[in-house]
């Protein structure tokens, strides 16, 4: 058993003539929180989307725990059950309550009974601080509450790793903290996480490791402390100056 949850080897992705990922290598250990920073268009989302093959890598290897995601013989639906993903857009089903959104996949995909799925669902709603909203519909919830339901929904499949793609970028500023707090608690519970974000305080406080990506390559990889106080590369210094 390796202590690596996600291994990415020489990942390349091109869209037509555009090479978006130019050989990305990355390892995420079990329980580790890796934060990916980088300017818009640098390939951050593409990396996350390749991990559960929402995008088909052009070449390279991705391994989750002991499953080779990029092996064509691998059942990708099995992989996706082990990888939770939360996006900028919450994508909750509007005609379903918070609890129904959460219990859907456990019942449909994992064939859990309604009772069992609801037990897990209510536990998770409690975990994200929304037990009292179990029967609310998405339009009755704030953006921050919807995003917390989306996190609970992803957790309902009991994933081994969670991918977060700018999950607070569409939120009003006053709603950002409640979502980051949920993610922070998840990290403290030992969840393995890859987080694309522009929230530098979160990166500093919760990240075990920071990766800066630009133009489809990893520019710098370091501990938050080193990354923010003692960046090794000119490109990192420019990035940090830009966001100051
Ligand atoms: P980031 O998340 O860092 O902003 P993305 O991974 O979304 O960057 O995109 C990286 C580059 O790939 C951008 O130039 C983007 O326009 C391009 N791209 C992303 N998805 C597609 C696609 N499906 N087809 C063509 N180009 C794409
Ligand atoms: Mg993106």
């Amino acid at each position: 058993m390796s202590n690596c949850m996600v291994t990415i080897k020489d990942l390349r992705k091109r869209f037509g003539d555009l090479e978006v990922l130019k050989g990305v290598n990355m390892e995420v250990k079990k329980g580790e929180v890796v934060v990916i920073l980088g300017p818009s268009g640098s390939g951050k989302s593409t990396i996350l989307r390749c991990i559960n093959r929402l995008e088909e890598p052009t070449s390279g290897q991705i391994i989750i725990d002991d499953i080779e995601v990029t092996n064509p013989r691998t059942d990708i639906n099995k992989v996706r059950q082990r990888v939770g993903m939360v996006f900028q857009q919450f994508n909750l089903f509007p005609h379903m309550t918070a609890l129904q959104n959460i219990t859907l996949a456990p019942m449909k995909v994992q064939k859990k009974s309604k009772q069992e799925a609801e037990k897990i669902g209510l536990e998770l709603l409690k975990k994200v601080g929304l037990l009292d909203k179990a029967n609310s519909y998405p339009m009755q919830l704030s953006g921050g509450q919807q995003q917390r339901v989306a996190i609970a929904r992803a957790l309902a499949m009991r994933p081994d790793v969670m991918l977060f793609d700018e999950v607070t970028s569409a939120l009003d500023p006053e709603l950002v903290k409640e979502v980051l707090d949920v993610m922070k608690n998840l990290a403290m519970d030992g969840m393995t996480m890859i987080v694309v974000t522009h929230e530098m305080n979160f990166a500093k406080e919760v990240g075990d490791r920071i990766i800066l990506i630009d133009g489809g390559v990893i520019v710098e990889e370091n501990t938050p402390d080193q990354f923010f106080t003692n960046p090794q590369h000119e490109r990192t210094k420019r990035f940090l100056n830009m966001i100051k």
Side-chain angles (χ1 to χ4, degrees), residues 39-46 49 88 165-166 196 198:
S40 177
S42 57
K44 305 180 298 294
S45 295
T46 305
R49 293 168 60 79
Q88 184 171 330
D165 194 356
E166 297 199 31
V196 172
H198 297 294

Side-chain angles (χ1 to χ4, degrees), residues 25-53:
N25 291 283
M26 195 191 265
E27 278 190 355
V28 183
K29 293 188 181 60
K30 288 176 183 162
E32 195 178 26
V33 178
V34 171
V35 174
I36 302 180
L37 305 177
S40 177
S42 57
K44 305 180 298 294
S45 295
T46 305
I47 294 176
L48 293 192
R49 293 168 60 79
C50 282
I51 292 175
N52 54 10
R53 269 173 56 196

